[in-house]
Amino acid sequence: MKVLKFGGTSVGSAGSIKTVLGILKQQSADGNNPVTVVSAMNGITNLLINMAEHAAIGESFTPQLAELERRHFDVVKELMDVQAQNPVFTRLKIYFNELEDLLQGILSLRELTAQTRDLVLNYGERCSAFMISKIAAQHFKNAVFVNAADLVKTDSAFGYAKVNMELTEMLIRNYHNENRDKLLFVTGFIASNDAGRITTLGRGGSDYTAAIFGSALNAEEIQIWTDVNGMMTADPRMVKKAFSLPELSYTEAMELSFFGAKVIYPPTMIPAFLKKIPIVILNTFDTAFGGTYIKHDCGPSDLPIKGISSINEVSILNVEGSGMVGKAGFSGRLFSMLAREQINVILITQSSSEHSITFAVNPADALKAKALIGQEFELEVQAKKLESPDVEDGLSVLAIVGENMKHTPGVSGKLFYALGRNGINVRAIAQGSSEYNISVIISRGDLAKALNAVHDAFFVELNKTLHVFCLGTGNIGTTLFRQLKNHAEFLKQHNGIQVKIVGISNTRKMMFDDDGIDLDSWKDKLEASTIVADLPAYIERMKEMNLPNCVFVDNTASATPISFYETVFKANISVVTCNKIGNSASYAQYKTFKDTARKHGVDFYYETNVGAGLPIVRTLRDLMMSGDRVIKIEAILSGTISYIFNNFKGDATFHDVVKIAQEKGYTEPDPRDDLRGTDFMRKMLILARDAGYALEPGDVKIESMLPKACLDAGTVAEFYAELKNEEKFFADMKAKAIAEGKVLRYIGKLEYGQVSITLQMVGEEHPFYTLSGSDNIISFTTERYIDRPLVVKGPGAGAEVTAAGVFADIVNVGN
């Protein structure tokens, strides 16, 4: 036979009770009658507590009592035949009248004891089980209401009574033997002491009732029907990628339940564990779900952990002082005192020096615990051998659980890396020698972020989610969004990464969405946004959202965002940028960015600063990291200048080539911005710094390719006029190069820590001789590549390749 327990949501409405009856028809189809344990209707227990507390302070409870009656009567009216309703109404009315008299007594005395509270709460289960048994009797003629208080016997610890298992099991077996042909509907949660007074088994005690009945009757299995798909890898309200687990050991389930997983009540598993009865967590509202099996003989699992659980609100107390060192029995004295006062200690950690003990308690118990410690150790505090305990609030516990942790190296390293990478400070750590659980105490505000970050770290079969905040919606930003949309599936399948754009801003408007902005309609949504662009507010909102695995992407050419990079790094957010200004300003700023990113364990990627999408920065970094030493770097890193000199041949004049380049959009509105070599200088400076040289912009020597008159021209039109006037100057250069069998190239060079950019003539033996179009090219001469330099060549400009470089940097953050 089986024991089925239905929680409050499963019996919370007429519709859900119909579903329960359907489940019972299936379960009893083979002629075996399951024992059915039911909770109070969802919300009713809280309603009863509320009424009792209102009465205790002299306030009216009448509206809540009316609500209690209405909810039960509405279900009876909907699910029962009219001629069968009156006896049920009568019995329910008797219960409600008894409850009203009890509450009136509390109101008169202005006192609510634990015993009285239990008596009030028992009406939730009694009304629910009685009502459902009578509704079921219309379909099952053998349906019987059973008050568990007659069978489950406990001590007198009201509110959290301890069960007398030997007596209880005997009473249950005797009752069941006498009613084998009956379909029993049993009240969960409630019991009674030897004097027959009502006690309760603690919140969640209906699960415990089911386990007690299952143990007494040696059930085949105990089914816990709830409103979620079994035990999940994390709280699905906080971790959207959480998934159901097919099976857990008793130990794993107890650890997860103790640390906040509300699907099953921790004591439930003890009677089942002792008799090795499987517990199955099922979903009343998704009967196709196969359930989570909790049993002693779980099969092998490839998962290093089974789940991540949490307690949302805890406080910690830190007790420290020299009087603790080497003092035998101090811990026993401390925790025995707390146990006597019914203060539950959630987590304990002690320094190896024995100088301090930190423990976590429910916030409601924190001040009481502090006062009790002060009283217990008053003499030690006065003698300065013990400090007055500190209380810290606003904290949470996160715990990873799994039996495989014992056999898997690096689990704790992965946990702390995921937390540290996301800037989550750990206040305390606890791990048992069994290695089934590692628990950490963190800030309450970081809990959702931590759960998601740790979940991504351990469940690698899922896609790691990057939360990306983009600045700039010009050509590069727009192209990046298109590329991300088109390659989303490829990223998931081949890189295990999901990129969510959660923030977008341009110079006019900005918008945010925790769940990710639809890249099909981002333009319309941004245009419709009512939030005016404000960069400081954008950065602040990004920090406030506190999402895991964040990346700030700067797709602008503005100096304004640069001043926020350090703030972003300090918020443990990686930066990807195609903006060269930050890395090519002062060396102090460049070094600050590097050091801050390293200190906070995040990434700073700027591949597109040099050569757009070409792997130049990454190649140099890999050479340096592998121990190679750069001897010389030569490069052409201006697509504009490359185009001009590649087309300055034959009868073409320099004036005409520059004019065509501008018309094609290769140059800035004023071509001198390109021809002065300033942009080229920034790129060479970044390479020199990445190669290990602490250079400033003024250290780069730039040879002008233009005569002074061209540079000094007042307007663009006057500049072009001067280019015509200087035609002989340019024609002579071209003629000289042709005569020597060479071509003109504007080349940057890093050698012996010196950077120069000069106009040169190169012959066929030079790797830059064959350069065509607007391509970039760079040559690395290193100790390993000394005879034949390492050459990287390709398009060094354009929205497509630049966006692709930014895309690659984002993926590298994910990896």
Side-chain angles (χ1 to χ4, degrees):
M1 56 85 63
K2 298 176 182 177
V3 175
L4 281 61
K5 177 263 175 176
F6 291 94
T9 52
S10 298
V11 295
S13 67
S16 59
I17 292 171
K18 281 183 182 178
T19 304
V20 168
L21 295 177
I23 292 168
L24 290 174
K25 283 180 182 178
Q26 289 181 325
Q27 296 273 3
S28 58
D30 59 359
N32 291 321
N33 294 321
V35 172
T36 305
V37 177
V38 297
S39 297
M41 296 174 72
N42 69 305
I44 293 300
T45 300
N46 287 337
L47 192 66
L48 289 166
I49 292 171
N50 189 265
M51 282 192 282
E53 290 176 348
H54 274 67
I57 59 174
E59 294 182 356
S60 172
F61 52 82
T62 304
Q64 293 97 323
L65 188 61
E67 171 68 9
L68 178 73
E69 182 176 312
R70 183 195 63 76
R71 285 194 61 185
H72 288 84
F73 281 11
D74 284 352
V75 170
V76 173
K77 289 174 186 176
E78 185 170 344
L79 296 183
M80 293 195 72
D81 297 334
V82 175
Q83 60 270 26
Q85 291 177 7
N86 278 340
V88 179
F89 285 147
T90 300
R91 170 51 61 185
L92 288 175
K93 192 64 178 175
I94 290 171
Y95 285 152
F96 298 145
N97 289 340
E98 290 175 359
L99 175 61
E100 184 176 14
D101 289 344
L102 179 58
L103 292 169
Q104 194 62 51
I106 296 170
L107 181 69
S108 299
L109 294 171
R110 298 288 199 277
E111 182 182 37
L112 178 61
T113 64
Q115 180 178 340
T116 308
R117 186 188 181 94
D118 278 359
L119 191 55
V120 170
L121 293 183
N122 101 99
Y123 283 97
E125 268 69 18
R126 284 172 68 187
C127 291
S128 173
F130 171 76
M131 177 182 70
I132 293 169
S133 70
K134 293 304 179 182
I135 294 169
Q138 299 175 120
H139 309 278
F140 307 93
K141 300 306 178 185
N142 58 345
V144 174
F145 165 62
V146 180
N147 186 350
D150 298 331
L151 304 176
V152 180
K153 292 299 177 178
T154 70
D155 62 11
S156 298
F158 297 101
Y160 196 87
K162 184 179 180 181
V163 177
N164 180 337
M165 289 299 294
E166 186 176 351
L167 175 60
T168 295
E169 290 198 353
M170 183 189 73
L171 291 172
I172 291 172
R173 279 195 295 270
N174 290 342
Y175 184 88
H176 187 261
N177 287 335
E178 293 170 3
N179 295 275
R180 282 187 174 276
D181 59 335
K182 302 292 194 297
L183 183 61
L184 307 182
F185 286 84
V186 183
T187 56
F189 177 57
I190 61 176
S192 65
N193 64 10
D194 292 339
R197 295 190 177 277
I198 294 294
T199 59
T200 60
L201 306 179
R203 290 298 293 266
S206 294
D207 292 350
Y208 195 15
T209 304
I212 292 167
F213 271 77
S215 173
L217 302 174
N218 292 309
E220 176 190 344
E221 67 182 30
I222 300 163
Q223 297 180 358
I224 308 293
W225 289 84
T226 181
D227 57 354
V228 294
N229 281 346
M231 295 282 273
M232 304 186 79
T233 51
D235 186 342
R237 294 168 299 181
M238 292 193 192
V239 181
K240 293 183 179 177
K241 289 191 284 186
F243 58 91
S244 302
L245 293 160
E247 63 179 24
L248 293 163
S249 71
Y250 291 113
T251 304
E252 289 169 333
M254 288 182 75
E255 292 280 0
L256 285 170
S257 298
F258 179 75
F259 282 96
K262 302 300 184 187
V263 175
I264 190 167
Y265 186 55
T268 298
M269 282 162 281
I270 296 172
F273 174 79
L274 293 174
K275 293 195 175 178
K276 297 183 179 179
I277 301 171
I279 300 172
V280 193
I281 313 296
L282 295 155
N283 190 342
T284 307
F285 308 100
D286 182 8
T287 53
F289 169 64
T292 296
Y293 279 78
I294 301 170
K295 51 186 182 178
H296 77 284
D297 56 347
C298 287
S301 171
D302 294 331
L303 299 173
I305 67 170
K306 284 291 182 69
I308 308 158
S309 196
S310 59
I311 300 174
N312 291 359
E313 294 283 353
V314 298
S315 296
I316 61 173
L317 285 89
N318 190 49
V319 182
E320 60 180 309
S322 59
M324 297 168 56
V325 180
K327 186 73 177 290
F330 181 89
S331 297
R333 184 179 164 196
L334 170 64
F335 294 114
S336 295
M337 178 269 296
L338 294 172
R340 285 197 308 271
E341 298 296 331
Q342 301 292 308
I343 294 176
N344 182 42
V345 177
I346 297 167
L347 176 151
I348 305 167
T349 181
Q350 182 174 15
S351 65
S352 58
S353 66
E354 300 183 33
H355 187 263
S356 67
I357 295 176
T358 299
F359 61 94
V361 297
N362 187 298
D365 294 329
L367 293 179
K368 180 182 177 183
K370 179 179 179 179
L372 289 169
I373 294 169
Q375 293 169 14
E376 178 73 18
F377 298 97
E378 183 178 4
L379 295 178
E380 287 89 343
V381 172
Q382 288 178 355
K384 304 295 183 183
K385 290 185 178 181
L386 200 68
E387 300 292 331
S388 180
D390 296 323
V391 176
E392 189 173 346
D393 297 315
L395 301 171
S396 297
V397 177
L398 179 149
I400 59 171
V401 173
E403 291 185 348
N404 272 3
M405 288 164 57
K406 191 168 186 175
H407 311 292
T408 309
V411 171
S412 56
K414 186 177 287 189
L415 168 66
F416 294 116
Y417 178 79
L419 295 173
R421 170 87 172 174
N422 285 280
I424 298 162
N425 185 43
V426 175
R427 291 286 293 106
I429 304 163
Q431 179 177 14
S433 58
S434 64
E435 293 188 56
Y436 289 151
N437 175 317
I438 302 175
S439 304
V440 296
I441 295 180
I442 60 175
S443 168
R444 174 71 183 88
D446 286 330
L447 181 58
K449 180 182 182 180
L451 284 168
N452 281 276
V454 173
H455 198 272
D456 266 4
F458 279 100
F459 297 106
V460 293
E461 69 275 14
L462 302 176
N463 295 308
K464 181 177 183 179
T465 301
L466 295 180
H467 295 97
V468 178
F469 294 83
C470 278
L471 205 60
T473 57
N475 286 339
I476 296 171
T478 300
T479 306
L480 174 64
F481 294 153
R482 176 171 51 78
Q483 291 178 354
L484 286 170
K485 180 174 75 73
N486 292 342
H487 291 81
E489 285 305 314
F490 181 89
L491 270 183
K492 288 179 184 179
Q493 293 177 16
H494 296 276
N495 294 77
I497 291 173
Q498 178 185 15
V499 177
K500 280 187 180 181
I501 304 296
V502 291
I504 300 176
S505 180
N506 55 26
T507 56
R508 296 177 297 106
K509 294 186 176 183
M510 58 188 188
M511 64 175 174
F512 304 89
D513 189 335
D514 292 44
D515 295 325
I517 296 165
D518 185 354
L519 294 182
D520 282 319
S521 57
W522 69 267
K523 281 187 180 179
D524 294 336
K525 288 181 178 177
L526 184 61
E527 190 61 36
S529 174
T530 57
I531 311 174
V532 177
D534 180 338
L535 189 51
Y538 183 84
I539 301 296
E540 197 57 35
R541 178 67 184 279
M542 177 174 67
K543 290 160 59 180
E544 288 171 358
M545 287 170 74
N546 206 24
L547 298 170
N549 306 318
C550 284
V551 188
F552 175 70
V553 178
D554 180 7
N555 285 324
T556 74
S558 167
T560 307
I562 308 300
S563 61
F564 291 94
Y565 283 9
E566 190 176 353
T567 300
V568 173
F569 289 134
K570 287 179 177 178
N572 289 88
I573 297 173
S574 295
V575 173
V576 169
T577 181
C578 61
N579 189 338
K580 292 183 283 290
I581 298 173
N583 282 329
S584 60
S586 70
Y587 179 78
Q589 178 174 276
Y590 165 88
K591 190 172 187 306
T592 296
F593 291 163
K594 289 277 190 173
D595 291 346
T596 309
R598 188 181 305 111
K599 178 181 177 181
H600 291 272
V602 292
D603 295 313
F604 180 33
Y605 289 143
Y606 46 89
E607 184 63 67
T608 50
N609 278 195
V610 182
L614 294 178
I616 294 173
V617 172
R618 190 172 300 116
T619 298
L620 176 57
R621 183 172 64 242
D622 290 347
L623 289 171
M624 300 287 290
M625 285 176 62
S626 66
D628 204 352
R629 190 175 70 85
V630 174
I631 297 170
K632 180 172 66 174
I633 295 175
E634 290 183 288
I636 295 175
L637 296 174
S638 169
T640 302
I641 297 174
S642 181
Y643 174 87
I644 289 171
F645 282 109
N646 286 332
N647 288 276
F648 184 40
K649 55 189 176 183
D651 295 332
T653 66
F654 196 78
H655 168 277
D656 292 343
V657 173
V658 174
K659 191 73 173 174
I660 292 168
Q662 184 184 26
E663 290 168 357
K664 287 181 175 289
Y666 290 145
T667 75
E668 296 294 330
D670 187 339
R672 285 173 293 183
D673 292 342
D674 297 292
L675 297 174
R676 282 190 181 96
T678 305
D679 187 62
F680 197 167
M681 177 275 293
R682 287 178 177 150
K683 296 174 181 178
M684 288 301 300
L685 183 63
I686 292 168
L687 288 176
R689 288 172 171 176
D690 281 3
Y693 296 103
L695 300 180
E696 299 292 349
D699 297 329
V700 180
K701 298 174 183 177
I702 304 177
E703 177 189 339
S704 175
M705 69 179 75
L706 297 175
K708 189 173 183 303
C710 297
L711 292 171
D712 293 343
T715 64
V716 174
E718 291 171 357
F719 160 70
Y720 276 114
E722 290 297 336
L723 277 185
K724 280 192 175 181
N725 294 337
E726 298 288 348
E727 190 52 51
K728 184 176 185 307
F729 170 81
F730 296 109
D732 288 346
M733 278 197 304
K734 180 167 63 174
K736 183 179 180 183
I738 292 171
E740 295 182 19
K742 297 180 179 180
V743 292
L744 293 168
R745 296 287 184 257
Y746 198 49
I747 298 174
K749 181 190 289 187
L750 167 64
E751 191 170 19
Y752 303 119
Q754 302 294 316
V755 180
S756 61
I757 302 173
T758 58
L759 186 62
Q760 301 178 31
M761 293 187 294
V762 300
E764 293 182 0
E765 76 288 348
H766 199 284
F768 295 177
Y769 179 83
T770 57
L771 191 68
S772 60
S774 59
D775 281 359
N776 282 192
I777 190 169
I778 186 165
S779 165
F780 295 99
T781 303
T782 70
E783 289 181 344
R784 292 178 190 153
Y785 294 92
I786 188 122
D787 296 321
R788 299 181 64 194
L790 172 63
V791 176
V792 179
K793 175 184 175 185
E800 286 292 337
V801 292
T802 304
V806 173
F807 190 144
D809 278 349
I810 293 171
V811 173
N812 281 326
V813 172
N815 288 333

